[in-house]
């Protein structure tokens, strides 16, 4: 095991990936700053639609590499999916303006308005940086701060998927329009795939925290990436905590939870070279503090001591009280949304279990490709159904239904062309969307609690509704009622109640604030905010944890005063919230139940 921070990170390309909220961005930034301090020229890139590089580095970023003040040699950029999609559409459609009738041009723009165009456009930017040596010729290292695990795995698989689709498609078109726009990228995709699987070029840094769920997710990712040929892997363990006050029972419980999780680490993960980063009493934000993460020193680093403030206000709800308000409707959809890693799955599962305990029929499901609902609930609960929208299964069923419906009007050649079109990676997105719409429709019969995917994916899913209506119509000739009624259901506050889940920290609070603005533009008003895992309302005597709690309180106050119509605060608990009884502990009336 290597715990020497930067030791071993010598390849030109590094990917930082892992479950949302484990600290990928902080550690990617700290690594980039350390490399720059060693005299390297470094490019740091975020491929996360919910990127917060700007906030961590303290500089306004765009899709063009920007020099980071205070870190000579360090440059950073965000891949903006929407801007990339706009540029992509213009590259495809622009040459036809003035040559084709306006109606034909409008039709092309319409066809390129869906979420799959956003994805392929952002992917083009990613592959340009990864596979085009000229694009990054001036840098010694390129670091990718990737999106949470499910999105990352899909992103990494796309070079092979799109290359195969281009090679096998003979119709000259796809759900993205003319294939000529994709064919020109084929050599770039091939180069990207070679770079990803070359151990001398690329290191995959798996970031995790000392908890069972995040270690299990890192192990799953490691195995899948290994099978894809990404073999040069390294483990960063973030937030290792050692209690300084041995009389603080809660602090010792936090230390014990981490120790037990590490002792049970999957063997494949334990075998990887490892870097351990302690739980920091200060925020790893700003160049000075980032330089200290791996033991470096910086005179400009500032550890802010936050003054004592009131722990909470009487107006703040418990999760128990919030569930009481949700229960009044008797049915409908409850959606947990927010930045990856804030505890959406835990909060969704706790709400669903408590509603079932109160006698309601409840369907708990997820649209998150990195879902772990079953492991979180860990057992059967009366009146509760748990499911996952499985992308592979939904894609198979969707393709089967499309072919079956179209077969009477097509000859053998037509069916072959349709089947070829359905092999596009975009088909998976359409299939998952249709399943999402069906699950929302179940809220007419009882409670549906949806643990949604992290922010960027969720917004694309909601914003893509109208585009998917058109795509489903194109392939199936008609719209299922669930798809037709999806947007009205999501916009009906008597039917759908959105809960924005956050941690009491700057980045997740501000990300949730931006999400609230996006939802407002989509005609959706959040029902409540849930501030999860709050150290500020727990009882600690350990100095590091008390300081952490003090640093949280301004962000709790910001949610209360700036964003939330109603807010529930869920304290950090010494037990791991896995299994029905422990999840209920989060949701019952304070003082009613202890474990």
């Amino acid at each position: 095991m290597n715990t020497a921070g930067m030791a071993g990170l010598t390849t030109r390309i590094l990917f930082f990936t892992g479950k949302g909220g484990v600290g990928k961005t902080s550690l990617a930034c700290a690594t980039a700053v350390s490399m720059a301090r060693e005299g390297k020229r470094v490019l740091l890139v975020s491929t996360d639609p919910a990127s917060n590089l700007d906030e961590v580095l303290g500089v306004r970023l765009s899709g063009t590499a920007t020099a980071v003040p205070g870190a000579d040699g360090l440059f950073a950029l965000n891949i903006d999916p929407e801007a990339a999609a706009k540029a992509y559409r213009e590259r495809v459609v622009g040459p036809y303006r003035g040559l084709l009738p306006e109606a034909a041009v409008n039709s092309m723009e319409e066809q390129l308005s869906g979420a799959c165009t956003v994805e392929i456009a952002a992917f083009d930017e990613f592959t340009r940086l990864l596979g085009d040596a000229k694009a990054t010729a001036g840098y010694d290292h390129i670091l990718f701060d990737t999106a949470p695990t499910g999105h990352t795995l899909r992103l990494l698989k796309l070079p092979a998927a799109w290359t195969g689709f281009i090679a096998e498609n003979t119709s000259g078109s796809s759900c993205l329009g003319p294939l000529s726009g994709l064919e020109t990228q084929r050599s770039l995709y091939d180069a990207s795939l070679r770079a990803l699987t070359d151990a001398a070029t690329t290191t995959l840094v798996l970031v995790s925290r000392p908890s069972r769920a995040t270690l299990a997710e890192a192990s799953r990712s490691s195995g899948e990436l290994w099978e894809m040929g990404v073999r040069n892997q390294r483990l960063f363990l973030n937030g290792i905590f050692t209690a300084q006050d041995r009389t603080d029972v809660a602090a010792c419980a936090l230390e014990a939870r981490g120790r037990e999780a590490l002792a049970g680490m999957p063997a494949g993960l334990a075998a990887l070279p490892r870097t351990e980063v302690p739980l920091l009493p200060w925020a790893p934000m700003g160049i000075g503090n980032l330089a200290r993460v791996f033991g470096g020193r910086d005179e400009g680093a500032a550890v802010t001591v936050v003054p004592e403030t009131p722990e909470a206000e009487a107006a703040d709800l418990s999760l128990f009280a919030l569930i009481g308000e949700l229960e009044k409707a008797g049915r409908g959809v409850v959606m947990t949304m927010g930045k990856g890693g804030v505890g959406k799955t835990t909060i969704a599962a706790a709400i669903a279990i408590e509603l079932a305990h109160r006698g309601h029929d409840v369907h708990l499901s997820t649209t998150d490709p990195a879902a772990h609902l079953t492991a979180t609930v860990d057992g059967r609960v009366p009146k509760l159904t748990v499911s996952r929208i499985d992308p592979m299964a939904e894609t198979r069923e969707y393709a089967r239904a499309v072919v079956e419906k179209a077969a009477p009007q097509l000859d053998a050649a037509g069916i072959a062309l349709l089947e070829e079109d359905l092999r596009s990676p975009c088909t998976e997105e359409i299939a998952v969307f249709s399943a999402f719409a069906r699950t929302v429709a179940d809220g007419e019969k009882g409670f549906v609690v949806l643990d949604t995917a992290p922010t960027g994916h969720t917004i694309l899913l909601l914003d893509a509704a109208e585009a998917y209506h058109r795509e489903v119509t194109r392939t199936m000739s008609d719209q299922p009622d669930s798809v037709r009624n999806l947007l009205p259901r999501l916009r009906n506050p008597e039917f759908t109640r959105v809960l924005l889940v956050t941690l009491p920290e700057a980045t997740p609070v501000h990300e949730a604030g931006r999400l609230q603005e996006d939802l407002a533009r989509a005609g959706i008003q959040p029902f409540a905010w849930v501030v999860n895992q709050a150290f500020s309302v727990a009882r600690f005597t350990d100095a590091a944890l008390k300081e952490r709690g003090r640093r949280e309180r301004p962000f709790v106050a910001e949610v209360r005063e700036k964003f939330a119509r109603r807010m529930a605060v869920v304290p950090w608990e010494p037990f791991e919230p896995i299994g029905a009884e422990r999840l209920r502990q989060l949701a019952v009336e304070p003082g009613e139940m202890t474990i």
Side-chain angles (χ1 to χ4, degrees):
M1 180 184 71
N2 185 351
T3 60
M6 298 296 300
L9 298 180
T10 58
T11 58
R12 185 165 185 264
I13 297 171
L14 294 95
F15 273 91
F16 285 74
T17 190
K19 183 177 170 60
V22 295
K24 294 186 301 295
T25 298
S26 296
L27 294 186
C29 289
T31 301
V33 168
S34 296
M35 286 178 164
R37 293 288 172 99
E38 293 175 355
K40 306 291 187 181
R41 281 181 62 84
V42 182
L43 177 63
L44 178 59
V45 181
S46 176
T47 66
D48 191 342
S51 171
N52 63 310
L53 274 187
D54 305 55
E55 196 161 19
V56 176
L57 294 174
V59 61
R60 183 68 177 269
L61 299 176
S62 67
T64 303
T66 300
V68 178
D72 291 344
L74 176 58
F75 299 79
L77 65 85
N78 284 322
I79 293 178
D80 183 336
E82 293 296 337
K86 182 178 180 180
Y88 178 88
R89 282 192 292 270
E90 189 54 34
R91 285 201 307 273
V92 173
V93 177
Y96 297 97
R97 297 188 194 279
L99 297 177
L100 295 179
E102 184 178 353
V105 173
N106 291 341
S107 177
M108 291 175 67
E109 289 179 331
E110 180 88 350
Q111 193 173 18
L112 292 169
S113 64
C116 42
T117 300
V118 174
E119 180 177 33
I120 194 65
F123 175 65
D124 275 356
E125 292 297 305
F126 161 75
T127 53
R128 182 179 64 83
L129 294 169
L130 183 62
D132 183 357
K134 295 179 182 178
T136 57
Y139 300 101
D140 299 303
H141 296 283
I142 303 96
L143 279 63
F144 289 93
D145 169 32
T146 61
T149 308
H151 176 83
T152 298
L153 291 176
R154 178 165 173 76
L155 191 67
L156 294 178
K157 288 176 180 177
L158 276 173
W162 283 109
T163 298
F165 179 59
I166 293 167
E168 296 169 11
N169 188 292
T170 60
S171 66
S173 65
S174 73
C175 59
L176 298 174
L179 269 178
S180 57
L182 297 177
E183 180 62 37
T184 58
Q185 299 295 97
R186 180 171 178 173
S187 62
L188 191 57
Y189 295 169
D190 286 341
S192 299
L193 192 56
R194 286 195 301 271
L196 286 170
T197 55
D198 181 1
T201 301
T202 299
T203 300
L204 193 288
V205 180
L206 293 152
V207 183
S208 183
R209 288 190 180 273
S211 74
R212 284 199 300 168
T214 54
L215 288 168
E217 183 67 24
S219 178
R220 185 183 69 81
S221 299
S222 176
E224 289 191 27
L225 290 163
W226 183 274
E227 290 299 318
M228 289 165 49
V230 183
R231 305 289 173 85
N232 184 10
Q233 301 183 10
R234 184 177 192 86
L235 178 64
F236 271 34
L237 283 172
N238 191 27
I240 305 293
F241 175 70
T242 302
Q244 300 303 310
D245 183 351
R246 307 309 298 183
T247 67
D248 187 334
V249 175
C252 291
L254 176 61
E255 178 186 333
R257 267 177 60 176
R259 189 169 56 245
E260 290 167 7
L262 294 178
M265 188 189 312
L269 209 58
L272 295 177
R274 184 189 312 176
T275 295
E276 296 184 355
V277 180
L279 183 70
L280 303 172
W282 37 268
M285 300 178 72
I287 300 303
N289 280 338
L290 289 168
R292 303 169 61 215
V293 168
F294 296 118
R297 296 181 180 277
D298 193 284
E299 297 301 322
V303 179
T304 303
V305 177
V306 180
E308 292 284 357
T309 57
E311 294 183 357
E313 292 188 356
D316 296 344
L317 301 171
S318 65
L319 191 58
F320 173 85
L322 179 61
I323 293 171
E325 294 199 23
L326 294 170
E327 185 185 17
K328 292 175 182 177
R331 67 181 181 101
V333 175
V334 178
M335 296 175 65
T336 57
M337 302 177 71
K339 185 175 174 63
V342 297
K344 296 186 301 295
T345 299
T346 298
I347 296 301
I351 290 170
I353 287 170
E354 179 60 17
L355 285 172
H357 182 79
R358 297 183 187 190
H360 300 282
D361 291 318
V362 183
H363 179 191
L364 173 63
S365 189
T366 184
T367 64
D368 193 337
H372 52 281
L373 267 183
T374 303
T376 300
V377 175
D378 192 25
R380 294 189 61 188
V381 175
K383 300 189 80 64
L384 175 66
T385 302
V386 180
S387 72
R388 170 178 175 251
I389 296 175
D390 184 319
M392 291 184 65
E394 294 297 338
T395 302
R396 285 195 301 270
E397 176 56 26
Y398 175 81
R400 184 202 62 76
V402 170
V403 172
E404 182 179 282
K405 191 172 187 67
Q409 288 79 41
L410 298 175
D411 58 16
I415 291 175
L417 284 173
L418 178 59
E419 290 175 339
E420 191 170 277
D421 192 26
L422 289 168
R423 286 197 291 272
S424 159
C426 302
T427 301
E428 180 182 307
E429 294 289 339
I430 299 164
V432 169
F433 171 80
S434 299
F436 171 77
R438 290 197 304 272
T439 304
V440 168
D442 286 345
E444 298 285 358
K445 300 174 290 187
F447 279 107
V448 172
V449 181
L450 273 166
D451 163 37
T452 61
T455 306
H457 177 83
T458 300
I459 288 299
L460 288 176
L461 188 64
L462 296 178
D463 285 351
E466 295 292 352
Y468 276 126
H469 288 183
R470 296 189 293 271
E471 181 62 22
V472 170
T473 300
R474 182 178 76 86
T475 55
M476 298 192 72
S477 302
D478 58 4
Q479 293 179 10
D481 286 342
S482 58
V483 173
R484 185 181 301 109
N485 294 320
L486 176 63
L487 280 180
R489 284 174 172 143
L490 293 178
R491 288 169 174 159
N492 180 1
E494 301 300 319
F495 184 83
T496 297
R497 292 164 180 81
V498 172
L499 305 181
L500 294 184
V501 184
T502 185
L503 299 177
E505 300 170 8
T507 297
V509 165
H510 298 156
E511 178 60 37
R514 288 191 290 270
L515 172 56
Q516 181 163 278
E517 292 174 359
D518 290 337
L519 289 171
R521 287 195 294 271
I524 299 171
Q525 178 66 46
F527 181 78
W529 282 55
V530 178
V531 178
N532 192 29
Q533 298 179 33
F535 282 75
S536 56
V537 292
R539 297 288 186 267
F540 294 107
T541 58
D542 188 275
L545 298 183
K546 285 180 67 178
E547 174 59 24
R548 177 168 174 163
R550 282 194 291 270
R551 286 194 287 109
E552 289 179 354
R553 287 175 193 152
F555 302 112
V556 176
E558 184 177 4
V559 172
R560 181 188 303 118
E561 296 163 9
K562 182 178 179 181
F563 295 117
R565 294 190 303 172
R566 57 173 66 82
M567 179 178 76
V569 179
V570 181
W572 180 86
E573 295 286 355
F575 57 82
E576 186 127 26
I578 293 177
E581 289 304 310
R582 288 189 168 182
L583 287 164
R584 271 208 76 216
Q585 174 75 45
L586 300 178
V588 298
E589 189 168 14
E592 176 189 323
M593 175 179 171
T594 59
I595 294 178

PDB file of all heavy atoms in Angstrom, residues 293-312:
ATOM      1  N   VAL A 293      -3.776  19.410   1.153  1.00  0.00           N
ATOM      2  CA  VAL A 293      -4.514  18.146   1.278  1.00  0.00           C
ATOM      3  C   VAL A 293      -3.577  16.954   1.406  1.00  0.00           C
ATOM      4  O   VAL A 293      -3.798  16.040   2.212  1.00  0.00           O
ATOM      5  CB  VAL A 293      -5.471  17.964   0.084  1.00  0.00           C
ATOM      6  CG1 VAL A 293      -6.031  16.535   0.047  1.00  0.00           C
ATOM      7  CG2 VAL A 293      -6.618  18.970   0.171  1.00  0.00           C
ATOM      8  N   PHE A 294      -2.499  16.926   0.619  1.00  0.00           N
ATOM      9  CA  PHE A 294      -1.562  15.810   0.657  1.00  0.00           C
ATOM     10  C   PHE A 294      -0.340  16.109   1.524  1.00  0.00           C
ATOM     11  O   PHE A 294       0.733  15.559   1.320  1.00  0.00           O
ATOM     12  CB  PHE A 294      -1.113  15.441  -0.759  1.00  0.00           C
ATOM     13  CG  PHE A 294      -2.233  14.944  -1.621  1.00  0.00           C
ATOM     14  CD1 PHE A 294      -2.602  15.627  -2.765  1.00  0.00           C
ATOM     15  CD2 PHE A 294      -2.942  13.802  -1.288  1.00  0.00           C
ATOM     16  CE1 PHE A 294      -3.636  15.174  -3.566  1.00  0.00           C
ATOM     17  CE2 PHE A 294      -3.981  13.345  -2.072  1.00  0.00           C
ATOM     18  CZ  PHE A 294      -4.331  14.028  -3.220  1.00  0.00           C
ATOM     19  N   GLY A 295      -0.511  17.015   2.487  1.00  0.00           N
ATOM     20  CA  GLY A 295       0.563  17.283   3.421  1.00  0.00           C
ATOM     21  C   GLY A 295       1.438  18.452   3.052  1.00  0.00           C
ATOM     22  O   GLY A 295       2.409  18.747   3.759  1.00  0.00           O
ATOM     23  N   GLY A 296       1.110  19.167   1.964  1.00  0.00           N
ATOM     24  CA  GLY A 296       1.891  20.337   1.587  1.00  0.00           C
ATOM     25  C   GLY A 296       1.572  21.519   2.475  1.00  0.00           C
ATOM     26  O   GLY A 296       0.631  21.506   3.272  1.00  0.00           O
ATOM     27  N   ARG A 297       2.392  22.575   2.364  1.00  0.00           N
ATOM     28  CA  ARG A 297       2.185  23.782   3.171  1.00  0.00           C
ATOM     29  C   ARG A 297       1.972  24.978   2.244  1.00  0.00           C
ATOM     30  O   ARG A 297       2.531  25.034   1.163  1.00  0.00           O
ATOM     31  CB  ARG A 297       3.381  24.048   4.090  1.00  0.00           C
ATOM     32  CG  ARG A 297       3.587  22.951   5.125  1.00  0.00           C
ATOM     33  CD  ARG A 297       4.764  23.283   6.030  1.00  0.00           C
ATOM     34  NE  ARG A 297       4.970  22.239   7.009  1.00  0.00           N
ATOM     35  CZ  ARG A 297       4.309  22.140   8.163  1.00  0.00           C
ATOM     36  NH1 ARG A 297       3.400  23.053   8.454  1.00  0.00           N
ATOM     37  NH2 ARG A 297       4.537  21.173   9.008  1.00  0.00           N
ATOM     38  N   ASP A 298       1.169  25.907   2.701  1.00  0.00           N
ATOM     39  CA  ASP A 298       0.946  27.105   1.916  1.00  0.00           C
ATOM     40  C   ASP A 298       0.598  28.244   2.859  1.00  0.00           C
ATOM     41  O   ASP A 298      -0.340  28.136   3.663  1.00  0.00           O
ATOM     42  CB  ASP A 298      -0.168  26.906   0.901  1.00  0.00           C
ATOM     43  CG  ASP A 298      -0.198  28.020  -0.131  1.00  0.00           C
ATOM     44  OD1 ASP A 298      -0.671  29.115   0.208  1.00  0.00           O
ATOM     45  OD2 ASP A 298       0.256  27.774  -1.256  1.00  0.00           O
ATOM     46  N   GLU A 299       1.358  29.329   2.766  1.00  0.00           N
ATOM     47  CA  GLU A 299       1.114  30.472   3.648  1.00  0.00           C
ATOM     48  C   GLU A 299      -0.245  31.108   3.408  1.00  0.00           C
ATOM     49  O   GLU A 299      -0.810  31.756   4.265  1.00  0.00           O
ATOM     50  CB  GLU A 299       2.222  31.515   3.452  1.00  0.00           C
ATOM     51  CG  GLU A 299       3.611  31.017   3.846  1.00  0.00           C
ATOM     52  CD  GLU A 299       3.673  30.583   5.296  1.00  0.00           C
ATOM     53  OE1 GLU A 299       3.044  31.246   6.143  1.00  0.00           O
ATOM     54  OE2 GLU A 299       4.340  29.580   5.596  1.00  0.00           O
ATOM     55  N   GLY A 300      -0.783  30.915   2.180  1.00  0.00           N
ATOM     56  CA  GLY A 300      -2.061  31.537   1.854  1.00  0.00           C
ATOM     57  C   GLY A 300      -3.258  30.733   2.316  1.00  0.00           C
ATOM     58  O   GLY A 300      -4.390  31.159   2.179  1.00  0.00           O
ATOM     59  N   ALA A 301      -3.008  29.536   2.877  1.00  0.00           N
ATOM     60  CA  ALA A 301      -4.126  28.699   3.305  1.00  0.00           C
ATOM     61  C   ALA A 301      -4.776  29.298   4.540  1.00  0.00           C
ATOM     62  O   ALA A 301      -4.112  29.825   5.423  1.00  0.00           O
ATOM     63  CB  ALA A 301      -3.636  27.288   3.601  1.00  0.00           C
ATOM     64  N   ALA A 302      -6.083  29.202   4.581  1.00  0.00           N
ATOM     65  CA  ALA A 302      -6.810  29.788   5.701  1.00  0.00           C
ATOM     66  C   ALA A 302      -7.760  28.770   6.293  1.00  0.00           C
ATOM     67  O   ALA A 302      -8.536  28.151   5.586  1.00  0.00           O
ATOM     68  CB  ALA A 302      -7.595  31.014   5.246  1.00  0.00           C
ATOM     69  N   VAL A 303      -7.639  28.558   7.612  1.00  0.00           N
ATOM     70  CA  VAL A 303      -8.596  27.715   8.319  1.00  0.00           C
ATOM     71  C   VAL A 303      -9.539  28.645   9.061  1.00  0.00           C
ATOM     72  O   VAL A 303      -9.179  29.258  10.057  1.00  0.00           O
ATOM     73  CB  VAL A 303      -7.882  26.756   9.300  1.00  0.00           C
ATOM     74  CG1 VAL A 303      -8.905  25.904  10.036  1.00  0.00           C
ATOM     75  CG2 VAL A 303      -6.885  25.874   8.560  1.00  0.00           C
ATOM     76  N   THR A 304     -10.726  28.790   8.542  1.00  0.00           N
ATOM     77  CA  THR A 304     -11.677  29.737   9.109  1.00  0.00           C
ATOM     78  C   THR A 304     -12.341  29.142  10.344  1.00  0.00           C
ATOM     79  O   THR A 304     -12.879  28.036  10.299  1.00  0.00           O
ATOM     80  CB  THR A 304     -12.759  30.089   8.072  1.00  0.00           C
ATOM     81  OG1 THR A 304     -12.111  30.614   6.915  1.00  0.00           O
ATOM     82  CG2 THR A 304     -13.733  31.106   8.632  1.00  0.00           C
ATOM     83  N   VAL A 305     -12.266  29.861  11.431  1.00  0.00           N
ATOM     84  CA  VAL A 305     -12.973  29.446  12.638  1.00  0.00           C
ATOM     85  C   VAL A 305     -14.340  30.115  12.631  1.00  0.00           C
ATOM     86  O   VAL A 305     -14.448  31.338  12.653  1.00  0.00           O
ATOM     87  CB  VAL A 305     -12.183  29.834  13.906  1.00  0.00           C
ATOM     88  CG1 VAL A 305     -12.973  29.454  15.153  1.00  0.00           C
ATOM     89  CG2 VAL A 305     -10.813  29.162  13.896  1.00  0.00           C
ATOM     90  N   VAL A 306     -15.373  29.298  12.571  1.00  0.00           N
ATOM     91  CA  VAL A 306     -16.736  29.822  12.482  1.00  0.00           C
ATOM     92  C   VAL A 306     -17.269  30.067  13.882  1.00  0.00           C
ATOM     93  O   VAL A 306     -17.198  29.182  14.745  1.00  0.00           O
ATOM     94  CB  VAL A 306     -17.639  28.819  11.734  1.00  0.00           C
ATOM     95  CG1 VAL A 306     -19.060  29.347  11.642  1.00  0.00           C
ATOM     96  CG2 VAL A 306     -17.069  28.537  10.352  1.00  0.00           C
ATOM     97  N   PRO A 307     -17.805  31.242  14.184  1.00  0.00           N
ATOM     98  CA  PRO A 307     -18.326  31.516  15.522  1.00  0.00           C
ATOM     99  C   PRO A 307     -19.547  30.666  15.830  1.00  0.00           C
ATOM    100  O   PRO A 307     -20.229  30.174  14.934  1.00  0.00           O
ATOM    101  CB  PRO A 307     -18.689  33.005  15.448  1.00  0.00           C
ATOM    102  CG  PRO A 307     -18.918  33.280  13.996  1.00  0.00           C
ATOM    103  CD  PRO A 307     -17.962  32.389  13.273  1.00  0.00           C
ATOM    104  N   GLU A 308     -19.792  30.496  17.105  1.00  0.00           N
ATOM    105  CA  GLU A 308     -20.968  29.746  17.524  1.00  0.00           C
ATOM    106  C   GLU A 308     -22.240  30.443  17.045  1.00  0.00           C
ATOM    107  O   GLU A 308     -22.369  31.650  17.130  1.00  0.00           O
ATOM    108  CB  GLU A 308     -20.992  29.624  19.055  1.00  0.00           C
ATOM    109  CG  GLU A 308     -19.880  28.750  19.630  1.00  0.00           C
ATOM    110  CD  GLU A 308     -20.160  27.271  19.430  1.00  0.00           C
ATOM    111  OE1 GLU A 308     -21.238  26.934  18.895  1.00  0.00           O
ATOM    112  OE2 GLU A 308     -19.308  26.455  19.801  1.00  0.00           O
ATOM    113  N   THR A 309     -23.188  29.650  16.539  1.00  0.00           N
ATOM    114  CA  THR A 309     -24.490  30.160  16.121  1.00  0.00           C
ATOM    115  C   THR A 309     -25.552  29.205  16.630  1.00  0.00           C
ATOM    116  O   THR A 309     -25.250  28.069  16.990  1.00  0.00           O
ATOM    117  CB  THR A 309     -24.592  30.251  14.586  1.00  0.00           C
ATOM    118  OG1 THR A 309     -24.334  28.965  14.030  1.00  0.00           O
ATOM    119  CG2 THR A 309     -23.586  31.240  14.031  1.00  0.00           C
ATOM    120  N   PRO A 310     -26.811  29.618  16.668  1.00  0.00           N
ATOM    121  CA  PRO A 310     -27.860  28.695  17.099  1.00  0.00           C
ATOM    122  C   PRO A 310     -27.868  27.430  16.257  1.00  0.00           C
ATOM    123  O   PRO A 310     -27.684  27.475  15.046  1.00  0.00           O
ATOM    124  CB  PRO A 310     -29.146  29.522  16.892  1.00  0.00           C
ATOM    125  CG  PRO A 310     -28.687  30.946  16.958  1.00  0.00           C
ATOM    126  CD  PRO A 310     -27.327  30.960  16.355  1.00  0.00           C
ATOM    127  N   GLU A 311     -28.082  26.291  16.905  1.00  0.00           N
ATOM    128  CA  GLU A 311     -27.988  25.012  16.205  1.00  0.00           C
ATOM    129  C   GLU A 311     -29.124  24.810  15.227  1.00  0.00           C
ATOM    130  O   GLU A 311     -28.959  24.228  14.173  1.00  0.00           O
ATOM    131  CB  GLU A 311     -27.961  23.866  17.223  1.00  0.00           C
ATOM    132  CG  GLU A 311     -26.694  23.894  18.082  1.00  0.00           C
ATOM    133  CD  GLU A 311     -26.631  22.722  19.032  1.00  0.00           C
ATOM    134  OE1 GLU A 311     -27.611  21.932  19.054  1.00  0.00           O
ATOM    135  OE2 GLU A 311     -25.636  22.575  19.750  1.00  0.00           O
ATOM    136  N   ALA A 312     -30.308  25.232  15.532  1.00  0.00           N
ATOM    137  CA  ALA A 312     -31.453  25.047  14.638  1.00  0.00           C
ATOM    138  C   ALA A 312     -32.580  25.946  15.122  1.00  0.00           C
ATOM    139  O   ALA A 312     -32.541  26.462  16.233  1.00  0.00           O
ATOM    140  CB  ALA A 312     -31.905  23.587  14.620  1.00  0.00           C
TER     141      ALA A 312
END
